Amino acid sequence: YIKMRTKKAPKRKIIKDSVYSSSLVSKMINACMYSGKKTIAQKHVYGALQVIKDKTKKDELTVLTEAIENISPQMEVRPRRVGGASYQVPMSVRPDRKQTLAIRWLIQSARQRPNGEFHTFGEKIAAEVLDAHQNQGASIKKKLDTQKMAEANRAFAHFRW
């Protein structure tokens, strides 16, 4: 039998980043980071925000926030075992998880972009954010797929707990 954790893990306080004093930018940096190389991740994210500022002539933080809101899913499916069978039960997504998923999908789709027209990873992030801001791109597709999956499994909604 599986022993469950007695206490819930405490929520960690994310330290706001130094340039924009924003926890969202800080989370983006942490999501970009590979094997503890934070300064490189910062260089990429700040570079991306600079590219966004240059291309849109708007406040880069507002564009990023709107893009993250566009990517954030409303519903997702979670597996639930009922009598030996596993059902995909649609559930609404908690606000903190919405943001986490949006950031994760944004970074993943930026990483999967081909290297052709981009020189740095920061440019890839910027391109993905700008696409998401206009409700297009791979991260928006991921969100729509997740929502469709939840919609398709609406029949199992009564298994929600």
Side-chain angles (χ1 to χ4, degrees):
Y1 105 106
I2 303 164
K3 190 172 182 182
M4 298 302 280
R5 185 179 280 192
T6 50
K7 270 192 279 186
K8 223 169 161 54
K11 271 264 173 256
R12 289 204 181 103
K13 189 86 180 107
I14 301 265
I15 301 157
K16 293 180 176 180
D17 78 299
S18 53
V19 177
Y20 295 95
S21 67
S22 154
S23 57
L24 177 63
V25 174
S26 195
K27 286 177 186 175
M28 285 275 294
I29 289 167
N30 290 341
C32 283
M33 185 167 50
Y34 267 134
S35 58
K37 306 212 175 220
K38 195 167 203 155
T39 45
I40 292 171
Q42 282 174 330
K43 194 171 66 179
H44 291 317
V45 173
Y46 294 145
L49 290 170
Q50 191 57 51
V51 169
I52 291 166
K53 186 179 187 178
D54 295 342
K55 281 191 179 173
T56 59
K57 305 283 187 271
K58 291 184 199 163
D59 179 41
E60 58 270 40
L61 267 185
T62 327
V63 174
L64 178 66
T65 311
E66 286 171 14
I68 292 289
E69 278 170 24
N70 287 347
I71 302 169
S72 301
Q74 302 302 313
M75 298 288 286
E76 69 175 342
V77 289
R78 304 189 83 172
R80 172 96 164 105
R81 282 188 61 80
V82 179
S86 202
Y87 298 104
Q88 296 284 11
V89 181
M91 296 187 140
S92 58
V93 187
R94 294 188 325 274
D96 55 335
R97 182 163 164 77
K98 273 184 194 176
Q99 192 184 45
T100 306
L101 284 173
I103 291 170
R104 187 182 306 157
W105 292 344
L106 185 84
I107 300 298
Q108 277 175 353
S109 44
R111 282 196 178 125
Q112 286 163 0
R113 277 180 176 250
N115 279 338
E117 70 218 68
F118 309 107
H119 297 293
T120 64
F121 181 58
E123 288 177 12
K124 287 184 179 186
I125 296 172
E128 195 57 48
V129 168
L130 291 171
D131 278 354
H133 187 253
Q134 291 158 358
N135 269 318
Q136 49 194 354
S139 42
I140 295 288
K141 188 181 181 312
K142 180 84 169 146
K143 170 206 172 175
L144 294 174
D145 290 347
T146 306
Q147 308 257 63
K148 275 187 200 140
M149 187 80 144
E151 191 64 34
N153 286 300
R154 244 188 27 212
F156 303 123
H158 63 282
F159 287 127
R160 208 176 286 148
W161 67 93

